[in-house]
Amino acid sequence: MLQEEIRRRNLGTLLRHVHLDGSVSRAALAERMGLNRSTIMALTSELTAAGLVREEAPTDTGRTGRPSLVVRPETAGVYVLAFDVAVDWVTAARVGLGGVLLDRRWASRPRAGADLDRVVDVLAGFGRQLLDAAPPEAVCVGLGASYCGMIRPGDGMVRFGPDLGWVDQAFGAELGRRLGLPRPVPVGNEAHLGAVAEQRRGAGVGFQNMIYLHGDVGVGGGIIVGGRLLDGDGGYACELGHMVVNPHHGRPCGCGSHGCLEAEVGERALLDAAGRPADLFGRAALRDVVTDAGRGDPAAREALRRIGDWLGVGVANLINLFNPGIVIFGGMLRDVYSGAADPVRARIAANVLPVARERVRLRTSALGDDATLVGAAELGFTELLADPLGGAVPALPPRW
Ligand SMILES: [Zn+2]
């Protein structure tokens, strides 16, 4: 029994290495996993027989001698469906083992209303299209969804999504039901999933301690400590956007409070600070402010200086608290940070304890607007990677 458990764990670990790296030599796997080559060979044979990986001669090692075989994921044949609900759009994708985006569908959406039915309708439709377009022999091994709100783990209930006015909406369960599944689709908070995606496949690769700030209309966050996402007691941790930075004179926040970080640095704050009309919103309007500031427009420059200062206050607090190796700005905060790096850095220099800021790097997201979708796909692969041959995954066509 113990032996069997070790074997299962090793299969999962090996598949995870291949999934994250794309291709790994048998020799490297043996070294990383601390196992001998014959054990690695036995494990890869099992995964090959199950159609999860294949072994190939390396294309060019640049070295002489007999090269070690390279293990690659069966990207085209093993995939998950990933869904992403952002404030202004919804996306669905078929993502292959190895994290390769194979096919996707996208639609814009209006901002107002608790439109659970409409959102689920669109996503379930996309899901069916993606399944129909997949090669008949390919296998769907899981699903995952990202949502811009606070999510109850287990059943994917959206407890609170202030940007869309969603309160206690059974998103995961409804999406599962509409896809004909026997259980809810796993759902994660967009910034949590974005953080995981950046750490596994983006700007945070190699960092065990990182902070990801995700700007959509508001600001969400994901904190990774010792390689693990900080999820809190109920799964609602890392609401960095509602960290109070300006309690006495702060702007009102969608959560009902005042002076939250997202109230001071979110989309509306920037557009207001730049003197843009109240009915203007969206990513393009925000980018216009950054572009205008780059051209020397005084109002846009002052707006970015102000927003950058508040962003710096928030980031300084986070660096003092968590001593991250890297802080990553994602979503619309990529645009904000690109125009406001100087005031952010000035605030960090002024307010972060010197030893805590010695090594910290500040970067924009490497995955861009796909970070949350990539994170949703990783959520979908969780069960397969935990027990690759377990067959615990229910069957959507042909296996799920
Ligand atoms: Zn708030």
Side-chain angles (χ1 to χ4, degrees):
M1 185 60 194
L2 185 62
Q3 201 66 23
E4 176 58 22
E5 266 174 39
I6 292 169
R7 180 182 139 272
R8 258 202 287 185
R9 201 169 54 213
N10 284 338
L11 284 168
T13 305
L14 197 156
L15 189 61
R16 175 175 289 270
H17 281 300
V18 173
H19 172 63
L20 291 180
D21 284 25
S23 73
V24 196
S25 71
R26 273 192 199 168
L29 286 166
E31 195 183 317
R32 285 193 210 172
M33 294 174 65
L35 298 171
N36 62 43
R37 288 212 195 186
S38 61
T39 308
I40 294 293
M41 202 163 79
L43 293 169
T44 49
S45 302
E46 282 197 70
L47 294 174
T48 303
L52 296 169
V53 303
R54 65 177 189 280
E55 294 184 283
E56 290 174 355
T59 42
D60 180 20
T61 61
R63 279 186 289 177
T64 52
R66 189 162 149 250
S68 172
L69 281 178
V70 164
V71 187
R72 294 186 198 281
E74 282 287 5
T75 298
V78 182
Y79 67 90
V80 297
L81 290 184
F83 302 94
D84 183 20
V85 181
V87 176
D88 289 326
W89 66 78
V90 294
T91 317
R94 200 160 59 80
V95 179
L97 189 62
V100 180
L101 227 149
L102 299 168
D103 195 2
R104 72 193 297 167
R105 301 287 184 278
W106 185 95
S108 63
R109 64 183 297 259
R111 282 195 179 177
D115 50 351
L116 177 71
D117 274 352
R118 207 163 44 188
V119 168
V120 167
D121 247 7
V122 173
L123 289 181
F126 282 170
R128 298 207 173 285
Q129 288 175 26
L130 291 165
L131 288 171
D132 289 346
E137 69 281 7
V139 181
C140 178
V141 295
L143 297 93
S146 162
Y147 187 89
C148 51
M150 298 171 82
I151 311 300
R152 184 164 68 197
D155 64 357
M157 171 78 81
V158 176
R159 297 299 314 282
F160 186 51
D163 292 318
L164 300 172
W166 283 32
V167 176
D168 289 336
Q169 301 278 322
F171 173 56
E174 268 307 298
L175 184 56
R177 195 179 66 77
R178 219 67 76 85
L179 285 164
L181 302 175
R183 60 178 183 174
V185 171
V187 184
N189 165 272
E190 61 171 354
H192 289 189
L193 294 176
V196 169
E198 286 292 333
Q199 201 229 0
R200 292 187 186 174
R201 303 189 178 279
V205 168
F207 289 90
Q208 296 298 301
N209 295 282
M210 61 163 262
I211 290 175
Y212 174 72
L213 285 123
H214 183 83
D216 192 339
V217 172
V219 174
I223 299 173
I224 289 181
V225 177
R228 294 180 63 92
L229 178 76
L230 197 68
D231 54 1
D233 192 46
Y236 309 125
C238 308
E239 283 294 330
L240 310 185
H242 301 285
M243 174 168 55
V244 180
V245 292
N246 187 13
H248 300 301
H249 309 287
R251 293 166 54 90
C253 182
C255 72
S257 182
H258 279 77
C260 296
L261 182 66
E262 80 166 40
E264 303 297 345
V265 310
E267 179 184 297
R268 194 69 257 150
L270 181 66
L271 295 174
D272 286 351
R276 304 292 153 117
D279 58 350
L280 197 67
F281 64 90
R283 184 71 66 86
L286 190 137
R287 282 188 178 143
D288 283 347
V289 175
V290 179
T291 307
D292 289 352
R295 289 192 192 122
D297 177 81
R301 286 175 70 111
E302 173 55 21
L304 276 169
R305 190 205 58 75
R306 202 161 119 194
I307 267 62
D309 189 44
W310 284 122
L311 186 57
V313 170
V315 171
N317 281 325
L318 292 166
I319 295 173
N320 278 332
L321 278 170
F322 295 100
N323 184 209
I326 187 167
V327 178
I328 300 170
F329 299 95
M332 66 87 170
L333 283 180
R334 276 179 300 148
D335 300 300
V336 171
Y337 182 71
S338 70
D342 287 347
V344 172
R345 288 178 181 277
R347 188 49 83 175
I348 288 168
N351 292 116
V352 174
L353 299 166
V355 293
R357 70 173 134 87
E358 272 170 359
R359 289 169 15 141
V360 67
R361 287 159 215 218
L362 289 97
R363 297 280 186 276
T364 52
S365 149
L367 300 170
D369 283 333
D370 282 340
T372 50
L373 185 68
V374 170
E378 292 300 317
L379 189 60
F381 282 115
T382 306
E383 281 189 28
L384 178 75
L385 296 177
D387 189 6
L389 308 182
V393 183
L396 195 96
R399 186 170 152 188
W400 188 275

